[in-house]
Every structure is written in C-alpha cells, then in structure tokens.
Coordinates of all heavy atoms in Angstrom, one line a residue:
M1417 N 7.2 -1.7 0.0 CA 5.8 -1.7 0.3 C 5.5 -1.0 1.6 O 6.2 -1.2 2.6 CB 5.2 -3.1 0.3 CG 3.8 -3.0 0.9 SD 3.2 -4.6 1.3 CE 2.3 -4.8 -0.2
H1418 N 4.5 -0.2 1.6 CA 4.0 0.5 2.9 C 2.7 -0.1 3.2 O 1.8 -0.2 2.3 CB 3.8 2.0 2.6 CG 4.7 2.9 3.4 ND1 6.0 3.0 3.2 CD2 4.4 3.7 4.4 CE1 6.5 3.8 4.0 NE2 5.5 4.3 4.8
S1419 N 2.5 -0.4 4.4 CA 1.2 -1.0 4.8 C 0.8 -0.4 6.2 O 1.6 0.0 7.0 CB 1.4 -2.5 4.9 OG 0.2 -3.1 5.3
C1420 N -0.5 -0.4 6.4 CA -1.1 -0.1 7.7 C -1.8 -1.3 8.3 O -2.4 -2.0 7.5 CB -2.1 1.1 7.6 SG -1.3 2.7 7.5
D1421 N -1.7 -1.4 9.6 CA -2.3 -2.5 10.3 C -3.3 -1.9 11.3 O -2.9 -1.4 12.3 CB -1.2 -3.3 11.0 CG -1.8 -4.5 11.7 OD1 -2.9 -5.0 11.4 OD2 -1.0 -5.0 12.6
A1422 N -4.6 -2.0 11.0 CA -5.6 -1.3 11.9 C -5.8 -2.0 13.2 O -6.2 -1.4 14.2 CB -6.9 -1.2 11.1
A1423 N -5.7 -3.3 13.2 CA -6.0 -4.0 14.5 C -5.2 -5.2 14.6 O -5.0 -6.0 13.7 CB -7.5 -4.4 14.5
R1424 N -4.8 -5.5 15.8 CA -4.0 -6.6 16.1 C -4.4 -7.1 17.5 O -4.4 -6.2 18.4 CB -2.5 -6.3 16.1 CG -1.7 -7.6 15.9 CD -0.3 -7.2 15.8 NE 0.2 -7.1 17.2 CZ 1.5 -7.2 17.5 NH1 2.4 -7.3 16.5 NH2 1.9 -7.1 18.7
T1425 N -4.6 -8.3 17.7 CA -5.1 -8.8 19.0 C -4.0 -9.1 20.0 O -4.2 -9.2 21.2 CB -5.9 -10.0 18.9 OG1 -5.2 -11.1 18.3 CG2 -7.2 -9.7 18.2
A1426 N -2.7 -9.2 19.6 CA -1.6 -9.4 20.6 C -1.4 -8.1 21.3 O -0.7 -7.2 20.7 CB -0.4 -9.9 19.8
P1427 N -1.9 -7.9 22.5 CA -1.9 -6.6 23.1 C -0.5 -6.1 23.4 O 0.3 -6.8 24.0 CB -2.7 -6.8 24.4 CG -3.5 -8.0 24.2 CD -2.6 -8.9 23.2
Q1428 N -0.2 -4.9 23.0 CA 1.1 -4.2 23.4 C 0.8 -2.9 24.1 O 1.6 -2.3 24.6 CB 1.9 -3.9 22.1 CG 2.5 -5.2 21.5 CD 3.5 -4.9 20.4 OE1 3.9 -3.8 20.3 NE2 3.8 -5.9 19.7
R1429 N -0.5 -2.5 24.1 CA -0.8 -1.3 24.8 C -2.0 -1.4 25.8 O -2.3 -0.5 26.5 CB -1.0 -0.1 23.8 CG -2.4 0.1 23.4 CD -2.5 1.3 22.5 NE -3.8 1.6 22.1 CZ -4.2 2.6 21.4 NH1 -3.3 3.5 21.0 NH2 -5.4 2.8 21.1
T1430 N -2.6 -2.6 25.8 CA -3.7 -2.8 26.7 C -3.5 -3.8 27.8 O -4.4 -4.4 28.4 CB -5.0 -3.2 25.9 OG1 -4.7 -4.4 25.2 CG2 -5.4 -2.2 24.9
N1431 N -2.2 -4.0 28.1 CA -1.8 -4.9 29.2 C -2.5 -6.3 29.2 O -3.1 -6.7 30.1 CB -2.1 -4.2 30.6 CG -1.3 -3.0 30.7 OD1 -0.2 -2.9 30.2 ND2 -1.8 -2.0 31.4
N1432 N -2.4 -6.9 28.0 CA -2.9 -8.3 27.8 C -4.4 -8.4 28.0 O -5.0 -9.4 28.2 CB -2.2 -9.3 28.7 CG -0.8 -9.4 28.4 OD1 -0.4 -9.3 27.3 ND2 0.0 -9.6 29.5
A1433 N -5.2 -7.3 27.8 CA -6.6 -7.3 27.9 C -7.2 -6.4 26.9 O -7.6 -5.3 27.2 CB -7.1 -6.9 29.3
S1434 N -7.2 -6.8 25.7 CA -7.8 -6.0 24.6 C -9.3 -5.7 24.9 O -10.1 -6.6 25.2 CB -7.7 -6.7 23.3 OG -8.2 -5.9 22.3
T1435 N -9.6 -4.5 24.8 CA -11.0 -4.0 25.1 C -11.6 -3.5 23.8 O -12.7 -2.9 23.8 CB -11.0 -2.9 26.1 OG1 -10.3 -1.8 25.7 CG2 -10.5 -3.4 27.4
H1436 N -11.0 -3.7 22.7 CA -11.4 -3.2 21.4 C -12.2 -4.2 20.6 O -12.1 -5.4 20.7 CB -10.2 -2.7 20.6 CG -9.4 -1.7 21.4 ND1 -9.8 -0.5 21.9 CD2 -8.1 -1.9 21.8 CE1 -8.8 0.0 22.6 NE2 -7.8 -0.8 22.5
P1437 N -13.1 -3.7 19.7 CA -13.9 -4.6 18.9 C -13.0 -5.4 18.0 O -11.9 -5.0 17.6 CB -14.8 -3.7 18.1 CG -14.4 -2.3 18.3 CD -13.4 -2.3 19.5
I1438 N -13.5 -6.6 17.6 CA -12.7 -7.4 16.7 C -12.6 -6.7 15.3 O -13.5 -5.9 15.0 CB -13.2 -8.8 16.6 CG1 -14.7 -8.8 16.1 CG2 -13.1 -9.5 17.9 CD1 -15.2 -10.2 15.7
P1439 N -11.6 -7.0 14.5 CA -11.5 -6.3 13.3 C -12.7 -6.5 12.3 O -12.9 -5.6 11.5 CB -10.2 -7.0 12.7 CG -9.4 -7.3 13.8 CD -10.4 -7.7 14.9
Q1440 N -13.4 -7.6 12.5 CA -14.6 -7.7 11.6 C -15.5 -6.5 11.8 O -16.2 -6.1 10.9 CB -15.3 -9.0 12.0 CG -16.4 -9.5 11.0 CD -15.8 -9.9 9.7 OE1 -14.7 -10.5 9.7 NE2 -16.4 -9.6 8.6
E1441 N -15.6 -6.0 13.0 CA -16.5 -4.8 13.3 C -15.9 -3.6 12.6 O -16.6 -2.7 12.2 CB -16.6 -4.6 14.7 CG -17.4 -5.7 15.4 CD -17.5 -5.5 16.9 OE1 -17.7 -4.4 17.4 OE2 -17.4 -6.5 17.6
Y1442 N -14.6 -3.5 12.4 CA -14.0 -2.4 11.7 C -14.3 -2.4 10.3 O -14.4 -1.4 9.6 CB -12.5 -2.4 11.9 CG -12.0 -2.3 13.3 CD1 -10.9 -3.1 13.7 CD2 -12.6 -1.5 14.3 CE1 -10.4 -3.0 15.0 CE2 -12.1 -1.4 15.5 CZ -11.0 -2.2 15.9 OH -10.5 -2.1 17.2
L1443 N -14.4 -3.6 9.7 CA -14.8 -3.7 8.3 C -16.0 -3.0 8.0 O -16.1 -2.3 6.9 CB -14.9 -5.2 7.9 CG -13.6 -6.0 7.7 CD1 -13.8 -7.4 7.5 CD2 -12.8 -5.4 6.6
G1444 N -17.0 -3.1 8.8 CA -18.3 -2.4 8.6 C -18.1 -0.9 8.6 O -18.7 -0.2 7.8
A1445 N -17.3 -0.4 9.5 CA -17.0 1.0 9.6 C -16.3 1.6 8.4 O -16.4 2.7 8.1 CB -16.3 1.3 10.9
L1446 N -15.5 0.7 7.8 CA -14.6 1.2 6.7 C -15.2 0.8 5.3 O -14.8 1.4 4.3 CB -13.3 0.5 6.8 CG -12.5 0.9 8.0 CD1 -11.2 0.0 8.2 CD2 -12.1 2.4 8.0
S1447 N -16.2 0.0 5.3 CA -16.8 -0.4 4.0 C -17.4 0.8 3.2 O -18.0 1.7 3.8 CB -17.9 -1.5 4.1 OG -19.0 -1.0 4.8
G1448 N -17.2 0.8 1.9 CA -17.7 1.9 1.1 C -16.8 3.1 1.0 O -17.0 4.0 0.2
L1449 N -15.8 3.2 1.9 CA -14.9 4.3 1.9 C -13.8 4.1 0.8 O -13.4 2.9 0.6 CB -14.3 4.6 3.2 CG -15.2 4.8 4.4 CD1 -14.4 5.0 5.7 CD2 -16.1 6.0 4.1
E1450 N -13.3 5.1 0.2 CA -12.2 5.0 -0.8 C -11.3 6.2 -0.6 O -11.6 7.2 0.0 CB -12.8 5.1 -2.2 CG -13.7 3.9 -2.5 CD -14.2 4.0 -3.9 OE1 -14.1 5.0 -4.6 OE2 -14.7 2.9 -4.4
G1451 N -10.1 6.1 -1.2 CA -9.1 7.1 -1.3 C -8.7 7.7 0.1 O -8.6 6.9 1.1
Q1452 N -8.6 9.0 0.2 CA -8.1 9.6 1.4 C -9.1 9.4 2.5 O -8.7 9.3 3.7 CB -7.8 11.1 1.2 CG -7.1 11.7 2.3 CD -5.7 11.1 2.6 OE1 -4.9 10.8 1.6 NE2 -5.4 10.8 3.8
E1453 N -10.4 9.3 2.2 CA -11.4 9.1 3.3 C -11.2 7.8 3.9 O -11.2 7.6 5.2 CB -12.8 9.2 2.7 CG -13.9 9.1 3.7 CD -15.3 9.2 3.1 OE1 -15.5 8.9 1.9 OE2 -16.2 9.6 3.8
L1454 N -10.8 6.7 3.2 CA -10.5 5.4 3.7 C -9.2 5.5 4.5 O -9.2 5.0 5.7 CB -10.4 4.4 2.6 CG -9.9 3.0 3.0 CD1 -10.8 2.3 4.0 CD2 -9.7 2.1 1.8
V1455 N -8.2 6.1 4.0 CA -6.9 6.2 4.7 C -7.1 6.9 6.1 O -6.7 6.4 7.1 CB -5.9 6.9 3.9 CG1 -4.6 7.2 4.7 CG2 -5.5 6.1 2.6
D1456 N -7.9 8.0 6.1 CA -8.1 8.8 7.3 C -8.9 8.0 8.3 O -8.5 7.9 9.5 CB -8.8 10.1 7.0 CG -8.0 11.1 6.2 OD1 -6.7 10.9 6.1 OD2 -8.5 12.0 5.7
A1457 N -9.9 7.3 7.9 CA -10.7 6.5 8.8 C -10.0 5.3 9.3 O -10.0 5.0 10.5 CB -12.0 6.0 8.1
F1458 N -9.2 4.7 8.5 CA -8.4 3.5 8.8 C -7.4 3.9 9.9 O -7.2 3.3 10.9 CB -7.7 3.0 7.6 CG -7.0 1.6 7.8 CD1 -7.6 0.5 7.3 CD2 -5.8 1.5 8.3 CE1 -7.0 -0.7 7.4 CE2 -5.1 0.3 8.5 CZ -5.8 -0.8 8.0
M1459 N -6.7 5.0 9.6 CA -5.6 5.5 10.6 C -6.3 5.9 11.9 O -5.6 5.7 12.9 CB -4.8 6.6 9.9 CG -4.0 6.0 8.8 SD -2.9 7.2 7.9 CE -1.5 7.2 9.0
K1460 N -7.4 6.5 11.9 CA -8.1 6.9 13.1 C -8.4 5.6 13.9 O -8.2 5.6 15.2 CB -9.4 7.7 12.8 CG -10.2 8.1 14.0 CD -11.4 9.0 13.6 CE -12.2 9.6 14.7 NZ -12.1 9.1 16.0
I1461 N -9.0 4.6 13.3 CA -9.3 3.4 14.0 C -8.0 2.8 14.6 O -8.0 2.3 15.7 CB -10.0 2.4 13.1 CG1 -11.4 2.8 12.8 CG2 -10.0 0.9 13.7 CD1 -12.2 2.0 11.7
A1462 N -7.0 2.7 13.8 CA -5.7 2.2 14.2 C -5.1 2.9 15.4 O -4.7 2.4 16.4 CB -4.7 2.1 13.1
S1463 N -5.2 4.3 15.3 CA -4.7 5.1 16.4 C -5.4 4.9 17.7 O -4.8 4.9 18.8 CB -4.8 6.6 16.0 OG -3.9 6.9 15.0
E1464 N -6.7 4.7 17.6 CA -7.6 4.5 18.8 C -7.7 3.1 19.3 O -8.0 2.9 20.5 CB -9.0 5.1 18.5 CG -9.0 6.6 18.2 CD -10.3 7.1 17.8 OE1 -11.2 6.3 17.5 OE2 -10.4 8.3 17.6
S1465 N -7.5 2.1 18.4 CA -7.9 0.8 18.8 C -6.9 -0.3 18.6 O -7.1 -1.4 19.2 CB -9.1 0.4 17.9 OG -10.2 1.3 18.1
S1466 N -5.8 -0.1 17.8 CA -4.9 -1.1 17.6 C -4.1 -1.5 18.8 O -3.7 -0.6 19.6 CB -3.9 -0.7 16.5 OG -3.0 -1.8 16.3
D1467 N -3.8 -2.8 19.0 CA -3.0 -3.2 20.1 C -1.5 -3.4 19.7 O -0.7 -3.8 20.4 CB -3.5 -4.6 20.7 CG -4.8 -4.4 21.5 OD1 -5.0 -3.3 22.1 OD2 -5.6 -5.3 21.5
C1468 N -1.3 -3.0 18.4 CA 0.1 -3.0 17.9 C 0.7 -1.7 18.2 O 0.1 -0.7 18.3 CB 0.0 -3.2 16.4 SG 1.6 -3.2 15.5
S1469 N 2.0 -1.7 18.4 CA 2.7 -0.5 18.7 C 2.7 0.5 17.6 O 2.9 1.7 17.8 CB 4.2 -0.8 19.1 OG 4.9 -1.4 17.9
S1470 N 2.2 0.1 16.4 CA 2.1 1.0 15.3 C 0.9 2.0 15.4 O 0.8 2.9 14.7 CB 1.9 0.2 14.0 OG 0.7 -0.5 14.0
F1471 N 0.1 1.8 16.5 CA -1.0 2.7 16.7 C -0.5 4.2 16.8 O -1.2 5.1 16.5 CB -1.8 2.3 18.0 CG -1.1 2.8 19.3 CD1 -1.4 4.0 19.9 CD2 -0.2 2.0 20.0 CE1 -0.8 4.4 21.1 CE2 0.4 2.3 21.2 CZ 0.1 3.6 21.7
R1472 N 0.8 4.3 17.3 CA 1.4 5.7 17.4 C 1.5 6.4 16.0 O 1.5 7.6 16.0 CB 2.8 5.6 18.0 CG 2.8 5.2 19.4 CD 4.2 5.1 20.0 NE 4.2 4.5 21.3 CZ 4.4 3.2 21.5 NH1 4.6 2.3 20.5 NH2 4.4 2.7 22.7
N1473 N 1.5 5.6 15.0 CA 1.7 6.1 13.6 C 0.4 5.8 12.8 O 0.5 5.7 11.6 CB 2.9 5.5 12.9 CG 4.2 5.8 13.6 OD1 4.4 6.9 14.1 ND2 5.0 4.8 13.7
G1474 N -0.7 5.8 13.4 CA -2.0 5.5 12.7 C -2.0 4.1 12.1 O -2.7 3.9 11.1
G1475 N -1.2 3.2 12.7 CA -1.2 1.8 12.2 C -0.1 1.6 11.1 O 0.1 0.5 10.6
N1476 N 0.6 2.7 10.7 CA 1.5 2.6 9.6 C 2.7 1.8 10.1 O 3.4 2.1 11.0 CB 2.0 4.0 9.2 CG 2.7 3.9 7.9 OD1 3.4 3.0 7.6 ND2 2.6 5.0 7.1
L1477 N 3.0 0.7 9.4 CA 4.1 -0.2 9.7 C 5.4 0.2 8.9 O 6.4 -0.4 9.1 CB 3.7 -1.7 9.4 CG 2.6 -2.2 10.2 CD1 2.2 -3.6 9.6 CD2 2.9 -2.3 11.6
G1478 N 5.2 1.1 8.1 CA 6.4 1.6 7.3 C 6.6 0.6 6.1 O 5.8 -0.3 5.8
E1479 N 7.8 0.8 5.5 CA 8.1 -0.1 4.3 C 8.6 -1.4 4.8 O 9.3 -1.5 5.8 CB 9.1 0.6 3.4 CG 8.6 1.9 2.8 CD 9.6 2.5 1.8 OE1 10.3 1.7 1.1 OE2 9.6 3.7 1.8
F1480 N 8.2 -2.4 4.0 CA 8.8 -3.8 4.3 C 8.8 -4.5 2.9 O 8.0 -4.2 2.0 CB 8.0 -4.5 5.3 CG 6.6 -4.8 5.1 CD1 6.1 -5.9 4.4 CD2 5.6 -3.9 5.6 CE1 4.8 -6.1 4.1 CE2 4.3 -4.1 5.3 CZ 3.8 -5.2 4.6
G1481 N 9.6 -5.5 2.9 CA 9.7 -6.3 1.6 C 9.4 -7.8 1.9 O 9.1 -8.2 3.0
P1482 N 9.6 -8.6 0.9 CA 9.3 -10.0 1.0 C 10.2 -10.6 2.1 O 11.3 -10.3 2.3 CB 9.7 -10.6 -0.4 CG 9.5 -9.4 -1.3 CD 9.9 -8.2 -0.5
G1483 N 9.6 -11.5 2.9 CA 10.3 -12.2 3.9 C 10.4 -11.5 5.3 O 11.0 -12.0 6.2
M1484 N 9.8 -10.3 5.3 CA 10.0 -9.5 6.5 C 8.8 -9.6 7.5 O 8.9 -9.1 8.6 CB 10.2 -8.0 6.2 CG 11.5 -7.8 5.4 SD 11.7 -6.1 4.9 CE 12.0 -5.2 6.5
M1485 N 7.7 -10.1 7.0 CA 6.5 -10.2 7.8 C 6.0 -11.7 7.8 O 6.5 -12.5 7.0 CB 5.3 -9.4 7.2 CG 5.6 -7.9 7.2 SD 5.6 -7.3 8.9 CE 5.9 -5.6 8.6
Q1486 N 5.1 -12.0 8.7 CA 4.6 -13.4 8.7 C 3.8 -13.6 7.4 O 3.2 -12.7 6.8 CB 3.6 -13.6 9.9 CG 4.3 -13.5 11.2 CD 3.4 -13.6 12.4 OE1 2.4 -14.4 12.4 NE2 3.6 -12.8 13.4
K1487 N 3.9 -14.9 6.9 CA 3.5 -15.2 5.6 C 2.0 -14.7 5.3 O 1.7 -14.1 4.3 CB 3.6 -16.6 5.3 CG 3.2 -17.0 3.8 CD 3.9 -18.2 3.3 CE 3.4 -18.6 1.9 NZ 3.4 -17.6 0.9
P1488 N 1.0 -15.0 6.2 CA -0.3 -14.6 5.8 C -0.5 -13.1 5.7 O -1.2 -12.6 4.8 CB -1.2 -15.1 7.0 CG -0.4 -16.2 7.7 CD 1.1 -15.8 7.4
F1489 N 0.2 -12.3 6.6 CA 0.2 -10.9 6.5 C 0.9 -10.4 5.2 O 0.4 -9.5 4.5 CB 0.9 -10.3 7.7 CG 0.7 -8.8 7.9 CD1 -0.3 -8.3 8.6 CD2 1.6 -7.9 7.3 CE1 -0.5 -6.9 8.7 CE2 1.5 -6.6 7.4 CZ 0.4 -6.1 8.1
E1490 N 2.0 -11.0 4.9 CA 2.8 -10.6 3.7 C 2.0 -10.9 2.5 O 1.8 -10.1 1.6 CB 4.1 -11.4 3.7 CG 5.0 -11.0 2.5 CD 6.3 -11.7 2.6 OE1 7.1 -11.4 3.5 OE2 6.6 -12.5 1.6
D1491 N 1.4 -12.1 2.4 CA 0.6 -12.5 1.2 C -0.6 -11.5 1.0 O -0.9 -11.1 -0.1 CB 0.0 -13.9 1.4 CG 1.1 -15.0 1.2 OD1 2.3 -14.6 0.8 OD2 0.8 -16.1 1.6
A1492 N -1.3 -11.2 2.1 CA -2.4 -10.3 2.0 C -1.9 -8.9 1.6 O -2.5 -8.2 0.7 CB -3.1 -10.1 3.4
S1493 N -0.8 -8.4 2.1 CA -0.3 -7.1 1.8 C 0.1 -7.0 0.3 O -0.3 -6.0 -0.4 CB 0.9 -6.7 2.7 OG 0.5 -6.7 4.0
F1494 N 0.9 -7.9 -0.1 CA 1.4 -7.9 -1.5 C 0.3 -8.2 -2.5 O 0.5 -7.9 -3.7 CB 2.6 -8.8 -1.7 CG 3.9 -8.2 -1.1 CD1 4.4 -8.7 0.1 CD2 4.5 -7.1 -1.6 CE1 5.5 -8.2 0.7 CE2 5.6 -6.5 -1.1 CZ 6.1 -7.1 0.1
G1495 N -0.8 -8.8 -2.0 CA -1.9 -9.1 -2.9 C -2.8 -8.0 -3.2 O -3.7 -8.0 -4.0
L1496 N -2.6 -6.9 -2.5 CA -3.4 -5.7 -2.6 C -2.8 -4.7 -3.6 O -1.6 -4.6 -3.7 CB -3.6 -5.0 -1.3 CG -4.3 -5.7 -0.1 CD1 -4.1 -4.9 1.2 CD2 -5.8 -5.8 -0.5
E1497 N -3.7 -4.0 -4.3 CA -3.2 -2.8 -5.0 C -3.1 -1.7 -4.1 O -3.6 -1.6 -3.0 CB -4.3 -2.4 -6.1 CG -4.5 -3.5 -7.2 CD -5.4 -3.0 -8.3 OE1 -5.6 -1.8 -8.4 OE2 -5.9 -3.9 -9.0
V1498 N -2.2 -0.7 -4.5 CA -2.1 0.5 -3.6 C -3.4 1.1 -3.4 O -4.2 1.3 -4.3 CB -1.1 1.5 -4.3 CG1 -1.1 2.8 -3.5 CG2 0.3 0.9 -4.4
G1499 N -3.7 1.4 -2.1 CA -5.0 2.0 -1.8 C -6.1 1.0 -1.4 O -7.2 1.3 -1.0
G1500 N -5.7 -0.3 -1.6 CA -6.6 -1.4 -1.3 C -6.5 -1.9 0.1 O -5.5 -1.8 0.8
M1501 N -7.7 -2.4 0.6 CA -7.7 -2.9 2.0 C -8.2 -4.4 1.9 O -9.0 -4.7 1.0 CB -8.7 -2.1 2.8 CG -8.8 -2.5 4.3 SD -10.0 -1.6 5.2 CE -11.5 -2.4 4.7
T1502 N -7.7 -5.2 2.8 CA -8.1 -6.6 2.8 C -9.6 -6.7 3.0 O -10.2 -5.9 3.8 CB -7.4 -7.4 4.0 OG1 -7.5 -6.7 5.2 CG2 -5.9 -7.6 3.6
P1503 N -10.3 -7.5 2.3 CA -11.7 -7.7 2.4 C -12.2 -8.4 3.6 O -13.4 -8.4 3.9 CB -12.1 -8.4 1.1 CG -10.9 -9.2 0.8 CD -9.7 -8.4 1.2
D1504 N -11.3 -9.0 4.3 CA -11.6 -9.7 5.5 C -10.4 -9.7 6.4 O -9.3 -9.1 6.1 CB -11.9 -11.2 5.2 CG -12.8 -11.9 6.2 OD1 -13.0 -11.3 7.3 OD2 -13.1 -13.0 6.0
I1505 N -10.5 -10.2 7.6 CA -9.4 -10.2 8.6 C -8.3 -11.1 8.1 O -8.5 -12.1 7.4 CB -9.8 -10.5 10.0 CG1 -10.5 -11.9 10.0 CG2 -10.8 -9.5 10.6 CD1 -10.7 -12.4 11.4
V1506 N -7.1 -10.8 8.5 CA -5.9 -11.6 8.2 C -5.4 -12.2 9.5 O -5.1 -11.4 10.4 CB -4.8 -10.8 7.5 CG1 -3.6 -11.7 7.3 CG2 -5.3 -10.2 6.2
D1507 N -5.4 -13.5 9.6 CA -5.0 -14.2 10.9 C -3.6 -14.6 10.8 O -3.2 -15.3 9.9 CB -6.0 -15.4 11.0 CG -5.9 -16.0 12.4 OD1 -5.3 -15.4 13.3 OD2 -6.5 -17.1 12.6
T1508 N -2.8 -14.2 11.8 CA -1.4 -14.6 11.9 C -1.1 -15.1 13.4 O -2.0 -14.9 14.2 CB -0.4 -13.4 11.6 OG1 -0.5 -12.5 12.7 CG2 -0.7 -12.8 10.3
D1509 N 0.1 -15.5 13.6 CA 0.5 -15.9 15.0 C 0.5 -14.7 15.9 O 0.4 -14.9 17.1 CB 1.9 -16.6 15.0 CG 1.9 -17.9 14.3 OD1 0.8 -18.6 14.2 OD2 3.0 -18.4 13.9
S1510 N 0.5 -13.5 15.4 CA 0.5 -12.3 16.2 C -0.9 -11.8 16.5 O -1.0 -10.9 17.3 CB 1.3 -11.2 15.5 OG 2.6 -11.5 15.3
G1511 N -1.9 -12.3 15.9 CA -3.2 -11.9 16.1 C -4.0 -11.8 14.8 O -3.7 -12.4 13.8
V1512 N -5.0 -10.9 14.8 CA -5.8 -10.7 13.6 C -5.6 -9.3 13.2 O -5.4 -8.4 14.0 CB -7.3 -11.0 13.8 CG1 -7.5 -12.5 14.0 CG2 -7.9 -10.2 14.9
H1513 N -5.7 -9.0 11.8 CA -5.3 -7.8 11.3 C -6.3 -7.4 10.1 O -6.8 -8.2 9.5 CB -3.9 -7.8 10.6 CG -2.9 -8.5 11.5 ND1 -2.1 -7.9 12.3 CD2 -2.6 -9.8 11.6 CE1 -1.3 -8.7 12.9 NE2 -1.6 -9.9 12.5
L1514 N -6.4 -6.1 9.9 CA -6.9 -5.5 8.7 C -5.7 -4.8 8.1 O -4.9 -4.1 8.8 CB -8.0 -4.5 8.9 CG -9.3 -5.1 9.5 CD1 -10.3 -3.9 9.8 CD2 -9.9 -6.1 8.6
V1515 N -5.5 -4.9 6.8 CA -4.4 -4.3 6.1 C -4.8 -3.4 5.0 O -5.7 -3.7 4.2 CB -3.5 -5.4 5.5 CG1 -2.3 -4.8 4.8 CG2 -3.1 -6.4 6.5
L1516 N -4.3 -2.2 5.0 CA -4.5 -1.2 4.0 C -3.1 -0.9 3.4 O -2.2 -0.5 4.0 CB -5.0 0.1 4.6 CG -5.2 1.3 3.7 CD1 -6.2 1.0 2.5 CD2 -5.6 2.5 4.4
R1517 N -3.0 -1.1 2.1 CA -1.7 -0.9 1.4 C -1.6 0.6 1.0 O -2.5 1.1 0.2 CB -1.6 -1.8 0.2 CG -0.3 -1.6 -0.5 CD 0.0 -2.7 -1.5 NE 1.3 -2.4 -2.2 CZ 1.9 -3.2 -3.0 NH1 1.2 -4.3 -3.4 NH2 3.0 -2.9 -3.6
L1518 N -0.6 1.2 1.4 CA -0.4 2.6 1.1 C 0.6 2.9 0.0 O 0.5 3.9 -0.7 CB 0.2 3.4 2.4 CG -0.7 3.3 3.6 CD1 -0.1 4.0 4.8 CD2 -2.1 4.0 3.3
A1519 N 1.5 2.0 -0.3 CA 2.4 2.2 -1.4 C 2.9 0.9 -2.0 O 2.7 -0.2 -1.4 CB 3.7 3.0 -0.9

C-alpha cells in the first residue's frame, strides 16, 4: 500500500512549534477534488505544511503493509479505496493526519 500523510502535528521540521493550520482546515481545501487534482493539491499541502519528514516527498510515505504503522493510521489507510482520502482527521500517538491512498 502507498499512502500520503498531509499533516502531522509531531513537529520534525518546525522545531517543536507547528505554525500550520490543523488538518481539519485542510479538509476544506481538498473537499470536492478528485483524481490527479486531489493528489496534486494534497501533495502541495503536505510539501508546504506537514511536520512529518515525508514533506520532502509531498507527504508520500511509500509502501507499507499490515503492522508497520500505528493502528489508527493503518486502519484508516487500508479502509480507503485507491484514490480515496480520509473524510476526517486520523488521530495517533504521533499526531493528527489526513491520509490519501495512492496504491
């Protein structure tokens, strides 16, 4: 499975002081988008706003399988169809996330 993570609050690039809007605000910016338009917008938000080190890859976390991610994130990711995005934020011990399934 390939997944993108647009936002995470556990800062890795903002020196423990996230200055970015909460993922709920990203949902509004992404709502109504589909296909490549959604992927492009999602990756732009991740590149500019994510506190996860995956921001370098547009939020792309690469491939992962069962048991490799925290359970809430994994459940949300595997519950999506390819091209689908979580309808709400996903809360984990690492922070809050939006997930877009790429493969």
Side-chain angles (χ1 to χ4, degrees):
M1417 164 190 266
H1418 241 70
S1419 182
C1420 279
D1421 181 20
R1424 198 178 87 162
T1425 58
Q1428 290 189 12
R1429 92 173 182 180
T1430 59
N1431 298 330
N1432 295 325
S1434 181
T1435 59
H1436 307 298
I1438 58 168
Q1440 194 68 38
E1441 294 177 38
Y1442 300 139
L1443 284 172
L1446 297 170
S1447 68
L1449 301 179
E1450 295 180 348
Q1452 193 60 46
E1453 187 177 23
L1454 172 60
V1455 172
D1456 292 345
F1458 191 101
M1459 293 181 84
K1460 181 177 184 340
I1461 288 171
S1463 293
E1464 295 173 353
S1465 304
S1466 179
D1467 287 331
C1468 177
S1469 62
S1470 68
F1471 79 90
R1472 292 179 190 93
N1473 300 318
N1476 192 330
L1477 298 174
E1479 293 186 36
F1480 59 88
M1484 296 177 68
M1485 298 289 180
Q1486 294 177 43
K1487 184 157 177 45
F1489 189 91
E1490 183 176 299
D1491 290 348
S1493 299
F1494 285 107
L1496 295 169
E1497 293 185 22
V1498 172
M1501 185 180 79
T1502 50
D1504 204 355
I1505 60 170
V1506 177
D1507 193 7
T1508 71
D1509 291 340
S1510 298
V1512 293
H1513 317 265
L1514 295 178
V1515 180
L1516 173 65
R1517 183 169 179 177
L1518 299 178

